[in-house]
Amino acid sequence: MVGPGTGIVPFRAFLEQRALDGATGRNWLFFGEQRRATDFLYGEEFLASQKQGRLHRLDLAFSRDQAHKIYVQHRMKEQAKDLWAWLQGGAYFYVCGDAHRMAKDVHQALIDIAREQGGLAPEAAAEYVNVTLMRTEKRYLRDVY
């Protein structure tokens, strides 16, 4: 899941439900905000979940903690090989948060990853994300506002 800012809340509920259900499948969170010290929403909870093995991967992007801005889509691209492997293995991809910038940038990053890691032409990469993942297989879901 990609859940920057308050978009993190559904993933928190997702992890809580999985704990109640005893679910064991892998999950991965990309979280971003401005500053780790003040904006890492539910940070201690997510770090504890990771330590307990309930959250398998956690990639963080704090845009104002260094001179150049780092956003969730940058972290996705850094982990492109693994993210592509998860998608090819049947993973679902959820995005929750800002529709105006973040969701568009994450969507484009996903297309770029399909192109680069899958060896797809630009049009085929866009079709994979927009048609295969979103419409046909319904494994790419967005709750953006």
Side-chain angles (χ1 to χ4, degrees):
M1 178 171 182
V2 179
T6 57
I8 195 65
V9 176
F11 196 71
R12 181 177 180 233
F14 171 79
L15 284 177
E16 289 173 351
Q17 187 63 52
R18 289 175 51 81
L20 290 171
D21 293 343
T24 58
R26 299 181 307 163
N27 53 73
W28 185 351
L29 170 64
F30 290 91
F31 174 76
E33 248 302 350
Q34 290 189 0
R35 292 178 180 79
R36 183 180 181 124
T38 57
D39 303 320
F40 190 5
L41 306 175
Y42 307 105
E44 290 179 19
E45 200 174 302
F46 285 113
L47 292 172
S49 290
Q50 187 178 31
K51 188 174 182 178
Q52 295 163 357
R54 291 193 334 250
L55 174 59
H56 295 84
R57 290 196 60 171
L58 175 63
D59 283 271
L60 304 171
F62 295 101
S63 62
R64 305 304 192 281
D65 280 351
Q66 61 283 313
H68 64 286
K69 293 180 181 173
I70 298 173
Y71 296 112
V72 289
Q73 65 268 20
H74 298 127
R75 295 296 189 218
M76 287 171 55
K77 287 185 174 185
E78 288 171 2
Q79 302 301 326
K81 183 178 179 181
D82 287 346
L83 184 52
W84 180 250
W86 280 49
L87 290 170
Q88 293 306 289
Y92 282 70
F93 190 82
Y94 299 97
V95 179
C96 185
D98 172 55
H100 301 289
R101 291 187 208 131
M102 179 279 299
K104 292 175 186 175
D105 292 339
V106 164
H107 187 83
Q108 186 58 54
L110 201 54
I111 292 170
D112 293 344
I113 289 167
R115 186 176 45 80
E116 295 162 10
Q117 296 299 313
L120 302 175
E123 300 80 19
E127 183 174 332
Y128 173 76
V129 171
N130 295 323
V131 177
T132 304
L133 284 180
M134 287 185 94
R135 293 187 196 124
T136 305
E137 298 178 3
K138 297 182 184 345
R139 291 190 297 124
Y140 175 18
L141 303 154
R142 297 163 33 126
D143 180 9
V144 295
Y145 40 87

